[in-house]
Amino acid sequence: MGVGGSFWDLLKPYARHEGAGYLRGRRVAVDLSFWVVSHSTAIRARSPHAREPHLRTLFFRTLSLFCKMGAFPVFVVDGEPSPLKSQVRAARFFRASGMDLAALPSTEAEANVDSPVKRRNALFTRYVEECVELLEYLGMPVLRANGEGEALCAQLNNEGHVDACITSDSDAFLFGAKTVIKVLRSNCKEPFECYNMAEIESGLGLKRKQMVAMALLVGSDHDLHGVSGFGAETALQFVRLFNEDNILDKFYEIGKGVYPFVEGFNMPHIDDLPSPSTKSLPRVRSPHCSHCGHPGTKKSHSKDGCNFCLVDSLENCVEKPAGFICECPSCDKARDLKEQKKHENWQIKVCKRIAMEKKFPNEEIIKLYLSDNNFDKERGVPLLRWNKPDVEALVDFLSFKQNWEPSYIRQRMLHMLSTIYLREMASSSSKPVLLYDQYEFHSIQRIKIRYGLPYYLVKWKRAMRSMTSNGLPGKQTELKGNNDEVVVLDEDDEAVLLDEEEEDEATISQSTELLDEPDVPQVLTDDKSCFLLTDEDIELVNAAFPDEAQRFQEEKVHIGCFLQMI
């Protein structure tokens, strides 16, 4: 959630819609708890009997984010939540369950007693730890926050360690985030929403501390209710009266009953203010004719005529129409003063409402949002390193947790392995010999368009008598080929085709329901040769195999010229 009062609706006009290529080469901090909750819920809605949906979604989304979008994800895990947030979580759980909020534990000691809230938190903690184990097998960096996960995501973004945050919690901006991606559907052709703090500042006129002030008024993850009577629009109108530097100081004054100085109208104490209805406006409007509505009295018009009606006597003075508004200077000034007074009365009314709140503003909430102590400073800046995946450990883990066949897991890991291989070829002085210790780069087949972006269709050839990096023969690997056949590559380089019915039916049925499942590589066999076809990033292939890429481009030009000739 983040900030209450439909805060996201205020920000929506300033969202940029970006495509899949926006994240290529960028580091992004992912709020893991957000993924576990939202995407597990989505999968269960589509498939109520899904097995361990949090692991399934995380596996495929991570592959898509890393390979298809070309991003470098950093996953952030929540630490110990603040007592305020724990209380709010419990209140939301009770409310969603239809339970009486009067039964809500009021102290931390009461909350530690066995309860539905504690059991639910224990289950969620288990889900998160399983996700962390999966991510470590995938070689992804995982950081543990001291408190809120989105707070550490925001700090990493603010300090330049990552380029954006992926979270649906709008209070990431209050924690200091500069770029937030709210909804990311990695297997969807539709662009995703990306919010930039600079554009929000320019459009709404809100900076970080002003957003914190809004959260104090409308409520947040640390205060469920906020100040009574405040919605997002009212809070926005009020916080705009103050600048970024002094808004929180002014809130402390209002909380003590001291009205802040506004345009020369200084009231020392809220209790000394008169009721808005008892203070009359100064008389600034000159007399107006009751017949035509113009300046001057009816008597003067009957004697001297009306300068505005341009007649000599009242007999011909134009009768004012319904809804007539005089535009003379005295009427304009009176209207301006009335509007100013109305605005001042509104300010007084709002300040009185705020001053009625106990312990406003909540200093603990302010410190939470403005703190930069979201990771262990003694260990220094978090080390972000993307390691090679442990494929065999991953196969064992997912075979047990998801009941997937090893061939199914290895097949879906190939695109990640090819992406890592190409990155190493492009940047490392010591070049890897073979992809997955079995396949060598063969050629670029063509350019294809996926999700509105161009990719190379790359052909990989299985090396004859392939050896592992340790000099050992390549292990037997099973991959699903065309027409859902299973290709078993044995150590004698023979491709044996197994009938589709021999594959586990549960695996097939599961694979058709997965969200964000990546495109699988095609498997081609020709006599004793075996080939893979994968979609790869054009810039990455150009950097990894510049000669082959140049040859492909030259062949494209020659073919184009030949077609023009005929």
Side-chain angles (χ1 to χ4, degrees), residues 107-113:
T107 65
E108 190 172 351
E110 292 177 4
N112 288 332
V113 179

Side-chain angles (χ1 to χ4, degrees), residues 411-459:
Q411 176 197 36
R412 277 146 183 80
M413 282 295 297
L414 268 173
H415 196 190
M416 183 178 193
L417 296 172
S418 66
T419 299
I420 295 173
Y421 176 83
L422 290 173
R423 287 175 178 173
E424 290 181 343
M425 288 293 294
S427 61
S428 177
S429 56
S430 57
K431 306 296 185 183
V433 180
L434 299 172
L435 166 63
Y436 198 41
D437 293 328
Q438 297 190 41
Y439 295 91
E440 60 186 359
F441 185 90
H442 183 271
S443 60
I444 301 172
Q445 296 295 292
R446 60 185 175 87
I447 295 178
K448 62 185 293 188
I449 304 298
R450 293 175 61 241
Y451 308 103
L453 296 174
Y455 290 83
Y456 278 149
L457 182 63
V458 174
K459 188 175 184 179

Side-chain angles (χ1 to χ4, degrees), residues 257-527:
V258 178
Y259 190 75
F261 178 82
V262 178
E263 296 293 335
F265 184 72
N266 187 17
M267 289 294 181
H269 197 279
I270 205 74
D271 295 334
D272 298 331
L273 290 173
S275 174
S277 61
T278 64
K279 193 165 180 78
S280 60
L281 287 171
R283 186 174 183 83
V284 294
R285 185 174 181 268
S286 62
H288 281 54
C289 175
S290 60
H291 185 72
C292 69
H294 292 133
T297 63
K298 183 177 180 180
K299 183 178 180 179
S300 65
H301 281 191
S302 63
K303 181 180 178 181
D304 302 323
C306 177
N307 293 330
F308 290 87
C309 294
L310 301 178
V311 295
D312 295 331
S313 67
L314 184 61
E315 294 179 357
N316 296 317
C317 195
V318 179
E319 184 178 1
K320 61 183 177 182
F324 172 79
I325 298 177
C326 181
E327 302 292 342
C328 74
S330 66
C331 287
D332 287 341
K333 184 176 182 181
R335 279 192 292 269
D336 291 342
L337 286 174
K338 184 178 180 180
E339 188 63 31
Q340 178 184 345
K341 186 60 182 175
K342 180 182 176 182
H343 185 60
E344 290 174 352
N345 287 342
W346 175 81
Q347 294 173 8
I348 296 171
K349 182 180 177 181
V350 170
C351 287
K352 282 186 174 181
R353 189 183 304 160
I354 294 174
M356 291 173 62
E357 293 290 319
K358 295 180 178 179
K359 297 181 180 180
F360 184 91
N362 190 316
E363 191 169 352
E364 187 177 351
I365 294 177
I366 295 175
K367 287 181 178 179
L368 278 170
Y369 281 134
L370 300 182
S371 171
D372 61 353
N373 187 30
N374 297 300
F375 61 86
D376 191 350
K377 292 291 183 71
E378 293 182 358
R379 298 183 179 180
V381 177
L383 180 63
L384 305 182
R385 179 182 296 166
W386 289 263
N387 299 316
K388 289 185 178 180
D390 189 338
V391 178
E392 295 312 308
L394 191 64
V395 167
D396 292 340
F397 179 77
L398 291 176
S399 296
F400 175 73
K401 292 290 185 179
Q402 297 296 110
N403 198 28
W404 290 344
E405 290 293 328
S407 60
Y408 178 86
I409 301 168
R410 291 193 178 97
Q411 176 197 36
R412 277 146 183 80
M413 282 295 297
L414 268 173
H415 196 190
M416 183 178 193
L417 296 172
S418 66
T419 299
I420 295 173
Y421 176 83
L422 290 173
R423 287 175 178 173
E424 290 181 343
M425 288 293 294
S427 61
S428 177
S429 56
S430 57
K431 306 296 185 183
V433 180
L434 299 172
L435 166 63
Y436 198 41
D437 293 328
Q438 297 190 41
Y439 295 91
E440 60 186 359
F441 185 90
H442 183 271
S443 60
I444 301 172
Q445 296 295 292
R446 60 185 175 87
I447 295 178
K448 62 185 293 188
I449 304 298
R450 293 175 61 241
Y451 308 103
L453 296 174
Y455 290 83
Y456 278 149
L457 182 63
V458 174
K459 188 175 184 179
W460 306 85
K461 181 181 179 181
R462 187 168 191 252
M464 300 298 292
R465 303 297 299 175
S466 62
M467 305 294 286
T468 67
S469 57
N470 294 326
L472 301 175
K475 49 183 162 302
Q476 176 176 302
T477 307
E478 298 178 0
L479 301 172
K480 190 193 291 185
N482 298 332
N483 302 320
D484 289 329
E485 296 166 329
V486 174
V487 181
V488 180
L489 305 178
D490 61 20
E491 292 189 4
D492 295 325
D493 296 325
E494 294 180 355
V496 185
L497 302 184
L498 302 182
D499 190 83
E500 177 186 359
E501 295 179 354
E502 296 183 24
E503 188 177 11
D504 180 36
E505 295 181 1
T507 301
I508 298 175
S509 63
Q510 282 184 346
S511 65
T512 61
E513 297 173 351
L514 290 174
L515 293 175
D516 300 318
E517 186 170 353
D519 295 336
V520 297
Q522 301 177 51
V523 180
L524 304 177
T525 57
D526 180 16
D527 295 331

